[in-house]
Amino acid sequence: MIRPILIHPDPRLKKVCPPVESITDEIRALGRDMLDTMYDAPGVGLAGPQIGVMKRIITMDCTKDPEAAPQPMVLVNPEITWSSDEGSTYEEGCLSIPDQYAEVERPARVRVRWTDLEGQEREQEFDGLWATCVQHEIDHLNGKLFIDHIGPLKRQMITRKMQKLKRDRARDPA
Ligand code: K1U
Ligand code: ZN
């Protein structure tokens, strides 16, 4: 099921999410809904709070080649256990901040530990767009958006555009 995506500013996008306590059928169904919502958007990642679910769960698929098999991932309670000193800059976007982009520098490689939907502990190193995306999504779980990594003037300009977008959508829902 495709769920509506919250648009910034929204107080739910500023909150720190509590961990998922156990892997249940409800969490597995949530993971499926998040993947459906992410692919439909389309996006390469999605975090629980973006659909108003205040739980530490993210989805990702950063497969670049449209001919290649999809690589859907659902990460529950993801934690960064190591970050490279080397950085990498990527022009990030966000499904909760449509059509706005800004360069953000983050560690180029990270090691992440999480629980999968079978309840197994997993740990893996990510690089390239996968590394950028997993850090962007974990930020969402901590109430942080990519615009919190940029200067205050550009952040304010983007926030004002989003306030207008929300006013316009409320007046004329598509
Ligand atoms: O969390 C989100 O809002 C999803 C976001 C993730 C992300 C994008 C870019 C850098 C880091 C993290 C998106 O998926 S925005 C859409 C996007 O980047 C995209 C959409 C379709 C194809 C390829 C990329
Ligand atoms: Zn985002």
Side-chain angles (χ1 to χ4, degrees):
M1 183 176 61
I2 293 160
R3 313 256 196 124
I5 296 175
L6 302 180
I7 303 298
H8 165 72
D10 186 296
R12 288 166 286 184
L13 295 172
K14 302 301 294 174
K15 293 212 165 92
V16 177
C17 296
V20 170
E21 301 223 326
S22 62
I23 305 298
T24 59
D25 285 346
E26 187 202 333
I27 293 295
R28 282 185 271 270
L30 171 62
R32 278 195 298 275
D33 282 1
M34 288 178 61
L35 287 170
D36 289 347
T37 305
M38 179 186 87
Y39 285 124
D40 177 71
V44 293
L46 190 73
Q50 291 183 279
I51 54 164
V53 176
M54 308 310 287
K55 295 181 195 294
R56 299 190 80 83
I57 178 168
I58 66 174
T59 55
M60 300 194 292
D61 187 346
C62 298
T63 317
K64 280 198 189 116
D65 180 358
E67 306 288 302
Q71 291 184 67
M73 297 193 75
V74 182
L75 286 70
V76 175
N77 299 333
E79 271 177 69
I80 294 171
T81 55
W82 171 83
S83 307
S84 64
D85 291 334
E86 184 200 344
S88 157
T89 300
Y90 195 90
E91 186 163 59
E92 297 194 17
C94 180
L95 298 176
S96 296
I97 311 178
D99 303 321
Q100 304 301 316
Y101 303 91
E103 288 197 341
V104 176
E105 190 186 1
R106 302 180 185 268
R109 285 170 288 119
V110 286
R111 178 159 273 277
V112 178
R113 184 165 56 215
W114 75 95
T115 305
D116 69 18
L117 290 181
E118 277 76 51
Q120 297 298 308
E121 288 281 303
R122 304 268 302 270
E123 192 159 8
Q124 188 184 314
E125 195 173 310
F126 293 93
D127 63 8
L129 179 56
W130 288 92
T132 298
C133 188
V134 75
Q135 292 173 80
H136 176 115
E137 301 311 329
I138 292 173
D139 267 0
H140 273 301
L141 305 181
N142 294 321
K144 201 164 177 183
L145 300 171
F146 81 85
I147 54 170
D148 296 317
H149 291 273
I150 66 178
L153 280 182
K154 184 157 188 190
R155 180 163 62 243
Q156 203 173 63
M157 189 190 74
I158 290 177
T159 298
R160 289 200 177 127
K161 282 189 183 166
M162 293 300 104
Q163 283 165 331
K164 178 172 183 323
L165 176 74
K166 288 178 79 170
R167 271 198 310 274
D168 292 347
R169 283 190 181 179
R171 223 180 284 131
D172 183 14

